[in-house]
Amino acid sequence: MGLQHLPEELLTLLEQWPCREQQLRQLSAVLSPKLPSPHAVVVHGPHATGKTGIVRSHLANSKLKHAFIDCRECVTGRHLLERTVAVVHNAVTGDANSLNDRCENVSALVVNLQRLLDGRGKFALVLDGVDKQREPSPTLLPALARLGEVIPDLTVVLIVQYPPPRFLHQTGIPHTYFSPYTRNQSIHILSQNAPDIFIEPPPADLEYDEDVHQEDKAWLWPRFCAAVWDSLAQNAARDLLAFREVCHKLWRPFVAPIIRGDFGTRDFSRLLVAQRRLFQDESVLLDSVVPAVALPSNVRREGHELPYYAKWLLVAAYLASFNPGKLDALYFMKTTERKRRKKGGGTARSGGGRPSQNRKMPRHLMAASAFTLDRLMSILHAILPHDLRTTIDMYTQIATLTSLKLLVRGGGIGSSDPSEPGGKWRVGPAVSWDYTQALARSLDFTLIDYLAE
Amino acid sequence: MEYGKAYVFQPSDIRPAKRRRVDTQGLQASWRRRREAYTKAWQAQQRAIDERLSSINAATVSEVSAFLDEAISSPQSERIPTGVILAGYGVNSHSSIVSQLARRKSADEDGRQIYVTLTSAYGANLKALLKSLIQRALRRQTGLDDDEEDPPTATARRGPRLLNYDLQLLHDYVREHKLQQIVVAFEDTEAFDSDLLSELIEMLGCWHGRIPFAFLFNIATSIDFLQQRLARAAIKCLDGRLFDLAPAGEAVEAVFDALMSSGAPLWLGPSVMSILLERQGDYIQSIDGFVDAVRYAYMSAYYANASTQCLESSENLPDDHCEALRNLESFRAYAQQMLENKELLRLKDCLESNQSLAAVTSLRITEGQRKLNDMMSALSTLRKIQEVLPNMSVSPRSSLYVQAMSGKLHGSTLLRMLLLTIRKMPSHVTVRLLEAILAADSLDTYAQGVCRQLLGELNEILGSRNDPTQPLRSEDDVQNSTLRTTVVAQKVELSKHKAALSDQDKAYTQVLGRLSEVLESYFEETLVNPKDLPFHEVFVYDLKSPHREVFMPRPRHAIERALASPHDYLDCECCEPDRGERDEATLSATQPATAVLYQLYLESGSLINASDLWQAFQAVIGDERDESQTMAHFQRALAELKYLGFVKQTRKRVDHIAKVMWRGL
């Protein structure tokens, strides 16, 4: 079948959604306003393959009455049901008010929909991302897929990412697969609208008019996209959105030499070599809350300093988490000070430097182990250079550190109750070796002397 | 009675024998007046503090508000505009930032922006958080809405009642009131569960196209930590900008600035102040706690010290108050001094007549307050001089205050160094210094006059010199002298040789000498020891004890000590330790069972066999009692130890209990 057999409106859709011809044909067959439709349709495929957009524009184009529900916005299963009724009601009657029914469960949904859709003709109900629904009841999906069996003229379209086999407990439901875009397809889609090379028009005496600019950027952009795909995106940003984002992020630094006038617009290969550093830097793939460019140099990325005893507490907690409990007597008792200091000189039993038979992982690379609060307090007393009068402030300090997730409750039953005697704690994931080392340095404390190998 | 579920209480008509003492007597009689005086004094102080504190972060607040306005005027991306505020350890400082923002907005705009504050305590799941977010947003009737409107939860939309966590509610509200921005401020970002926070951000991100959100995150650690905790999809929803608040130390300085310059009638002494400062640096970093502690000091000064009534007015002092004044340590010293000065009549007057005592008191108090005020302005002069001098760090107000109030600043190394440096200054620094001093106008009139004169002389000398580009050097400057070593009879002799100085340099050195003399005498005069001022107990509050007990109690230590030596608390004859022994705790059958068991507990290892413990307990209590009674005591004591959290059951061995707490931590 060639393109000439397609109806007119499908052709416009194809222009809007390139590389999706097969899926459009399937959809137009199952969701046609004239032909009979199956009672349920599953549209599936990975992230950013145009599922939602194509279903939406196809339905809008085909003049079929429909309702569209984004399941990500529904907080509970009941929320989804109530929403469905409201949206269907709105779509059928075109009036947002005057409906006053609750909809607690699927049975109520069936009744409501039956009443609403009775004799109204063909209707499509699209549930977008229904597999990502929060707190769904186990029967929700199969029940939704059977809605069309109970209510004539209703077609339920389920848009999911990865349908597990038999997830609807039903066979014979047509599935439409949206395959991920290949390299050529991605580049083709991206090159539909190329961004400008020159933001400000170049000086008039260069005789560089808008037409040439259009031509140049349409020439340069696809080549650039291909380079980005080959270097970065094919491994780490395969989906279209991520790929597009990376391309747009790199575009302005990439064309900067052209704007400066170092290269011509068609010197792609020389430009690529000159700018190869851009394609090697993988930090562009990472997202961040605060974009690195927007960060003024005088603002610290690190937060404010902690109070004095909070620092000591964190150092003690780190030691308690990463030292085995049985070595505490060796490391923290004042009497064993001399034995411990064997690191530099070595004593008689230091073993001549032969590597041990079983290799051990460095402790700081392993997960933090849990400790009791009393152990933390005794280590704190042992490492403090002066005497400590434990007041209520110390317990407040522990509570504050816990609320900052620098200390976390962990391990054992009943760990959610902070007043449980002998409750266990551990340092939070943010308290890493480097962080603690920096803290210890600010306290003038040699952490390494107290840390078991 | 035991089986009845309820009974009717029938009070007898006889009033209880013990009555409350309503009318206060003695020194307490003036409490009401002192409370008024306190309120007046503290209100002025609080106003000064608030003013200083709000001006600290004024720049950041306006930056944040400009950022939010920009997000309104040019909504550019699908990402939610996010202000990340590095607020530091104390959470309180941030809440004031958000409220400052909200106040500012509500003042100058017509309520097209609403602020919703979320803390982690509002809910442990998405539903609860959304519910409280919506409720808080709808409850705020911003702008000029009249009160006769429907309750805010019911919008104009008719039809099905939406679930109360449905953001559609908020959407309708936004559309109806034409709101331009909803600012969601996360107070304690770190305390939120990571997954929950990510989920919430994603959820609000879904609605961002319809509801114009903006976020404010308050973080105490670092931005990287926040980023680690959020899901990738959540990070994609955020478009952040970083803002920094002033560190906590600066806020303390601001409070000191207010305390020093507000001219309050009461001063805090060095020991109470150093306790406050130490605690602030060691443990807490929220400035509100510090201000509260200062306020508590004011309260305890006014409420507990009857003589503070003289701060307000010393007229109509009751007799007992006068007697209290005469018993003050400083009044005795003052009387002694009068005796030595042979002012017998005045002394007699003070001792006998209440009226003249009141007059003298108010006079001396005013004088003392004036002296302390002078001292504070001397401190700011000192800081000003430090600012002008190169290579000199400016000491923080707090440490200067503590040093000055303890009377140690005069003659300290800090001051000596300062004066020595002044003697070595080159001329351009001197000109700047003199101008700064004259501009500040904090010296007394004599010193001010001398300084003005010196500046005139200096300008004359500077005008007459040959090489105007080179500043004049002082004779004391090390650069102008060289050390020479000569060997005389196998001994090395060091001798200083001054380089040849011009006449202008010599004249300049004289000017510097006079300047340092003037400053020295000025500091000597103003930096008085507050302890030497008569009636200093009235206007300087310096007691450590209530602060320690109130702000830094030691609950664990108190329990442990009470259990270890119950005699100290019960003071009964039966458990008194023998004279011969030191006051170490001894076991005896008369002590409470829990205390006995606790002392046995201290002696054992980390796992305790319950049967052994019972036998030891029985041996201590003695055989004369009934075994079942002893057992009851034992079980009760063990249950109490368990309740206090000293022991717990262990799964390692069934018949053992595990020791959970060690003593002295």
Side-chain angles (χ1 to χ4, degrees):
Chain A
M1 262 212 304
L3 282 179
Q4 60 274 25
H5 291 278
L6 282 169
E8 197 58 32
E9 60 265 22
L10 217 53
L11 280 175
T12 55
L13 273 187
L14 258 183
E15 263 171 42
Q16 201 185 335
W17 301 94
C19 315
R20 288 284 96 137
E21 188 189 339
Q22 193 195 355
Q23 285 83 1
L24 267 172
R25 279 171 193 282
Q26 285 181 6
L27 275 183
S28 68
V30 293
L31 290 176
S32 148
K34 298 175 197 101
L35 304 173
S37 299
H39 54 80
V41 177
V42 174
V43 172
H44 70 106
H47 178 61
T49 45
K51 302 182 292 293
T52 310
I54 287 175
V55 170
R56 199 187 271 273
S57 39
H58 171 73
L59 283 174
N61 234 359
S62 67
K63 313 277 187 317
L64 192 65
K65 264 191 254 170
H66 64 277
F68 205 94
I69 293 145
D70 192 353
C71 296
R72 282 189 310 162
E73 291 173 9
C74 299
V75 185
T76 56
R78 185 175 161 199
H79 191 184
L80 173 69
L81 300 181
E82 300 226 332
R83 195 91 184 267
T84 311
V85 174
V87 174
V88 170
H89 179 261
N90 195 2
V92 168
T93 60
D95 161 29
N97 302 329
S98 79
L99 185 85
N100 228 340
D101 276 340
R102 305 255 69 167
C103 183
E104 275 96 7
N105 48 33
V106 179
S107 314
L109 177 73
V110 172
V111 173
N112 272 322
L113 287 186
Q114 262 171 343
R115 219 188 49 220
L116 279 170
L117 296 176
D118 190 23
R120 301 266 183 173
K122 217 170 155 182
F123 194 86
L125 174 64
V126 187
L127 297 166
D128 185 10
V130 76
D131 54 340
K132 295 282 187 289
Q133 172 63 40
R134 293 179 179 87
E135 304 177 25
S137 65
T139 55
L140 179 74
L141 273 176
L144 286 175
R146 281 180 192 276
L147 272 184
E149 292 177 2
V150 189
I151 306 166
D153 292 340
L154 175 70
T155 303
V156 181
V157 182
L158 301 172
I159 302 180
V160 295
Q161 279 199 353
Y162 304 105
R166 289 185 51 76
F167 76 119
L168 298 175
H169 300 285
Q170 215 176 354
T171 50
I173 294 178
H175 281 50
T176 305
Y177 178 55
F178 280 64
S179 58
Y181 296 105
T182 60
R183 174 182 189 265
N184 289 338
Q185 284 174 336
S186 303
I187 295 169
H188 173 67
I189 294 169
L190 244 60
S191 51
Q192 304 264 316
N193 37 8
D196 291 347
I197 299 174
F198 300 101
I199 297 174
E200 298 153 2
D205 53 324
L206 281 180
E207 294 177 2
Y208 188 83
D209 61 2
E210 193 50 36
D211 291 342
V212 186
H213 184 200
Q214 289 292 348
E215 216 171 274
D216 277 347
K217 74 184 188 190
W219 187 86
L220 187 62
W221 170 253
R223 282 164 180 75
F224 166 74
C225 289
V228 173
W229 177 275
D230 291 339
S231 60
L232 295 167
Q234 70 167 334
N235 296 319
R238 281 189 90 96
D239 71 64
L240 193 63
L241 291 179
F243 180 41
R244 189 171 63 196
E245 193 182 340
V246 173
C247 285
H248 281 280
K249 259 190 204 169
L250 289 179
W251 174 247
R252 293 255 55 98
F254 180 74
V255 297
I258 300 181
I259 296 173
R260 276 203 308 270
D262 298 350
F263 294 97
T265 44
R266 301 273 172 145
D267 280 347
F268 177 69
S269 43
R270 281 173 60 213
L271 185 60
L272 188 66
V273 173
Q275 296 283 64
R276 63 183 177 278
R277 198 163 286 281
L278 281 181
F279 298 94
Q280 290 163 347
D281 183 14
E282 285 171 357
S283 65
V284 72
L285 296 166
L286 298 174
D287 292 299
S288 76
V289 176
V290 178
V293 280
L295 207 64
S297 54
N298 56 347
V299 170
R300 293 158 297 165
R301 248 183 121 73
E302 296 302 314
H304 292 259
E305 239 184 90
L306 298 175
Y308 180 72
Y309 279 117
K311 286 186 198 169
W312 276 113
L313 264 176
L314 275 184
V315 170
Y318 184 84
L319 287 174
S321 257
F322 288 95
N323 270 5
K326 59 184 178 195
L327 291 183
D328 278 355
L330 179 65
Y331 280 98
F332 300 114
M333 266 169 67
K334 310 267 183 204
T335 48
T336 55
E337 188 123 6
R338 193 159 304 141
K339 239 185 272 174
R340 199 177 61 230
R341 305 263 179 213
K342 70 173 187 184
K343 210 162 278 165
T347 57
R349 301 208 279 148
S350 55
R354 198 180 338 139
S356 108
Q357 287 297 315
N358 44 350
R359 284 173 54 195
K360 277 204 286 187
M361 223 179 4
R363 292 192 69 90
H364 69 265
L365 295 181
M366 296 201 269
S369 53
F371 51 84
T372 59
L373 265 194
D374 266 35
R375 187 164 163 236
L376 170 67
M377 294 305 286
S378 9
I379 291 181
L380 178 68
H381 276 272
I383 60 174
L384 272 180
H386 49 82
D387 280 342
L388 170 67
R389 186 171 173 271
T390 315
T391 61
I392 199 154
D393 284 333
M394 195 56 89
Y395 309 124
T396 321
Q397 211 62 229
I398 292 172
T400 316
L401 289 176
T402 311
S403 81
L404 293 182
K405 298 275 193 301
L406 293 174
L407 289 181
V408 290
R409 305 270 312 164
I413 309 157
S415 60
S416 56
D417 179 15
S419 60
E420 166 85 14
K424 300 261 187 168
W425 305 67
R426 62 161 63 102
V427 289
V431 187
S432 58
W433 161 246
D434 297 326
Y435 180 74
T436 320
Q437 182 77 315
L439 277 185
R441 219 172 283 136
S442 74
L443 293 168
D444 207 9
F445 172 72
T446 44
L447 184 64
I448 198 91
D449 280 357
Y450 290 86
L451 202 63
E453 299 283 299
Chain B
M1 195 70 167
E2 277 151 46
Y3 301 104
K5 294 227 167 88
Y7 68 97
V8 179
F9 175 61
Q10 288 167 321
S12 53
D13 286 337
I14 314 152
R15 291 192 61 162
K18 201 172 168 184
R19 288 194 195 169
R20 266 185 67 213
R21 190 176 285 164
V22 180
D23 51 332
T24 48
Q25 296 165 347
L27 291 175
Q28 278 307 308
S30 63
W31 182 71
R32 257 167 231 290
R33 286 172 62 190
R34 278 184 274 136
R35 190 176 58 174
E36 278 164 25
Y38 155 74
T39 321
K40 209 171 121 194
W42 179 252
Q43 268 172 359
Q45 200 70 274
Q46 179 87 52
R47 219 172 301 126
I49 290 174
D50 284 347
E51 214 171 88
R52 298 284 198 303
L53 283 183
S54 64
S55 68
I56 287 186
N57 285 322
T60 315
V61 170
S62 54
E63 258 175 54
V64 174
S65 103
F67 168 69
L68 293 176
D69 288 344
E70 187 193 315
I72 293 181
S73 57
S74 55
Q76 33 188 321
S77 63
E78 306 124 40
R79 296 178 162 209
I80 303 177
T82 305
V84 181
I85 302 174
L86 286 175
Y89 204 58
V91 177
N92 292 331
S93 53
H94 174 68
S95 65
S96 64
I97 285 291
V98 172
S99 57
Q100 275 178 38
L101 269 172
R103 231 179 294 135
R104 191 176 173 141
K105 285 292 156 188
S106 61
D108 58 21
E109 252 178 75
D110 46 355
R112 293 281 163 261
Q113 209 174 13
I114 50 178
Y115 285 82
V116 184
T117 318
L118 280 187
T119 68
S120 57
Y122 287 161
N125 54 33
L126 185 64
K127 209 162 105 180
L129 274 182
L130 283 175
K131 202 190 287 185
S132 62
L133 167 70
I134 293 167
Q135 271 177 0
R136 265 148 208 285
L138 299 199
R139 205 189 295 146
R140 300 183 76 117
Q141 285 288 37
T142 46
L144 305 164
D145 297 345
D146 47 359
D147 296 336
E148 290 167 20
E149 238 187 4
D150 292 339
T153 40
T155 48
R157 170 198 172 99
R158 281 163 43 239
R161 264 178 66 92
L162 293 171
L163 295 168
N164 54 5
Y165 47 82
D166 194 343
L167 281 169
Q168 186 71 38
L169 280 171
L170 192 58
H171 184 212
D172 293 344
Y173 184 76
V174 166
R175 258 197 323 208
E176 220 170 277
H177 292 255
K178 299 198 176 52
L179 296 177
Q180 288 176 335
Q181 195 169 49
I182 294 186
V183 182
V184 184
F186 293 87
E187 280 237 337
D188 43 353
T189 316
E190 276 90 353
F192 281 92
D193 184 49
S194 317
D195 297 337
L196 181 60
L197 190 61
S198 307
E199 218 174 345
L200 182 65
I201 291 172
E202 277 174 57
M203 187 65 158
L204 298 183
C206 283
W207 283 86
H208 181 53
R210 287 158 282 175
I211 308 174
F213 282 113
F215 289 158
L216 289 180
F217 284 106
N218 158 48
I219 56 174
T221 46
S222 66
I223 179 118
D224 294 334
F225 184 35
L226 175 69
Q227 215 152 279
Q228 275 172 23
R229 296 179 55 219
L230 290 181
R232 205 173 158 205
I235 291 179
K236 274 186 194 268
C237 296
L238 301 176
D239 177 23
R241 178 103 55 93
L242 206 57
F243 299 98
D244 200 358
L245 291 191
E250 244 171 73
V252 173
E253 286 294 287
V255 172
F256 262 95
D257 190 22
L259 289 182
M260 283 161 68
S261 58
S262 66
L266 187 74
W267 305 82
L268 296 191
S271 51
V272 66
M273 220 27 156
S274 55
I275 284 192
L276 291 187
L277 284 174
E278 209 171 284
R279 179 161 176 261
Q280 178 72 11
D282 283 355
Y283 293 104
I284 40 171
Q285 298 232 319
S286 101
I287 193 63
D288 295 354
F290 184 71
V291 175
D292 283 348
V294 173
R295 182 177 184 176
Y296 182 80
Y298 264 68
M299 279 176 152
S300 25
Y302 274 99
Y303 289 0
N305 186 356
S307 58
T308 45
Q309 206 198 326
C310 305
L311 290 177
E312 190 65 9
S313 76
S314 44
E315 287 169 22
N316 303 332
L317 272 186
D319 293 348
D320 44 3
H321 282 64
C322 292
E323 209 50 47
L325 279 178
R326 287 193 187 107
N327 276 311
L328 287 181
E329 198 82 19
S330 60
F331 176 75
R332 293 176 175 206
Y334 180 56
Q336 194 72 36
Q337 197 193 337
M338 278 202 271
L339 202 63
E340 279 162 16
N341 293 352
K342 305 274 192 282
E343 296 169 284
L344 295 181
L345 276 180
R346 274 181 62 198
L347 178 56
K348 200 175 170 193
D349 225 18
C350 276
L351 289 177
E352 281 171 359
S353 148
N354 285 349
Q355 268 185 353
S356 55
L357 177 71
V360 167
T361 313
S362 76
L363 194 71
R364 288 290 156 202
I365 287 178
T366 325
E367 190 190 312
Q369 284 171 339
R370 188 183 52 75
K371 278 193 176 162
L372 287 184
N373 267 326
D374 286 351
M375 183 154 88
M376 294 306 137
S377 57
L379 292 188
S380 56
T381 313
L382 188 67
R383 279 169 54 87
K384 202 140 278 155
I385 295 174
Q386 283 177 331
E387 271 168 31
V388 173
L389 290 181
N391 306 331
M392 182 73 93
S393 59
V394 182
S395 348
R397 285 195 189 90
S398 46
S399 74
L400 278 183
Y401 180 88
V402 170
Q403 278 191 53
M405 287 302 280
S406 56
K408 283 179 193 152
L409 194 56
H410 176 63
S412 65
T413 36
L414 178 107
L415 207 56
R416 271 214 314 279
M417 280 293 296
L418 191 74
L419 291 172
L420 278 178
T421 320
I422 285 177
R423 292 183 83 108
K424 291 178 191 168
M425 289 188 300
S427 60
H428 59 281
V429 181
T430 316
V431 174
R432 253 191 294 147
L433 177 69
L434 282 171
E435 276 163 1
I437 288 178
L438 288 174
D441 196 25
S442 53
L443 297 184
D444 53 10
T445 42
Y446 168 69
Q448 196 85 7
V450 173
C451 283
R452 196 166 296 124
Q453 193 188 339
L454 285 177
L455 185 62
E457 283 179 28
L458 187 60
N459 280 332
E460 240 170 66
I461 300 172
L462 284 179
S464 68
R465 69 189 158 161
N466 308 327
D467 181 9
T469 54
Q470 207 66 20
L472 294 177
R473 300 262 167 213
S474 155
E475 205 173 311
D476 300 318
D477 201 341
V478 194
Q479 284 183 2
N480 289 337
S481 60
T482 46
L483 276 183
R484 276 191 201 167
T485 51
T486 40
V487 180
V488 179
Q490 293 185 335
K491 279 180 189 164
V492 180
E493 277 187 1
L494 283 177
S495 56
K496 264 190 192 171
H497 280 260
K498 299 260 154 106
L501 288 169
S502 63
D503 291 341
Q504 284 97 358
D505 281 343
K506 277 180 189 148
Y508 172 64
T509 310
Q510 275 182 1
V511 169
L512 275 187
R514 275 164 63 202
L515 176 64
S516 78
E517 267 165 33
V518 163
L519 285 178
E520 195 174 358
S521 64
Y522 166 68
F523 281 128
E524 190 174 350
E525 210 167 290
T526 48
L527 295 179
V528 290
N529 187 355
K531 289 264 152 59
D532 296 340
L533 298 173
F535 297 108
H536 68 83
E537 289 94 339
V538 179
F539 55 88
V540 177
Y541 172 80
D542 197 17
L543 282 180
K544 273 184 190 177
S545 65
H547 262 82
R548 265 193 183 214
E549 270 90 74
V550 170
F551 287 101
M552 305 151 85
R554 313 176 64 191
R556 183 167 168 175
H557 174 79
I559 292 175
E560 280 172 358
R561 192 169 186 292
L563 285 176
S565 44
H567 170 70
D568 295 359
Y569 297 83
L570 298 174
D571 195 25
C572 51
E573 285 173 12
C574 50
C575 323
E576 196 169 3
D578 297 334
R579 280 278 142 244
E581 292 175 55
R582 284 179 46 246
D583 51 356
E584 248 173 60
T586 47
L587 283 169
S588 77
T590 53
Q591 285 174 351
T594 316
V596 173
L597 203 60
Y598 177 70
Q599 285 162 69
L600 294 173
Y601 162 90
L602 284 182
E603 289 166 10
S604 58
S606 65
L607 279 180
I608 308 168
N609 188 330
S611 164
D612 290 353
L613 194 64
W614 155 243
Q615 275 167 7
F617 182 77
Q618 208 179 13
V620 172
I621 294 293
D623 301 329
E624 57 260 35
R625 280 193 229 177
D626 187 10
E627 187 181 321
S628 61
Q629 200 185 351
T630 318
M631 181 54 116
H633 278 299
F634 174 72
Q635 289 189 352
R636 184 182 156 164
L638 200 57
E640 276 177 7
L641 282 191
K642 196 175 167 190
Y643 178 71
L644 286 171
F646 285 104
V647 292
K648 67 168 189 177
Q649 276 184 329
T650 170
R651 265 176 289 167
K652 280 182 198 156
R653 289 194 201 150
V654 185
D655 53 348
H656 282 60
I657 48 176
K659 194 171 174 178
V660 183
M661 288 170 93
W662 275 260
R663 200 185 167 189
L665 290 178

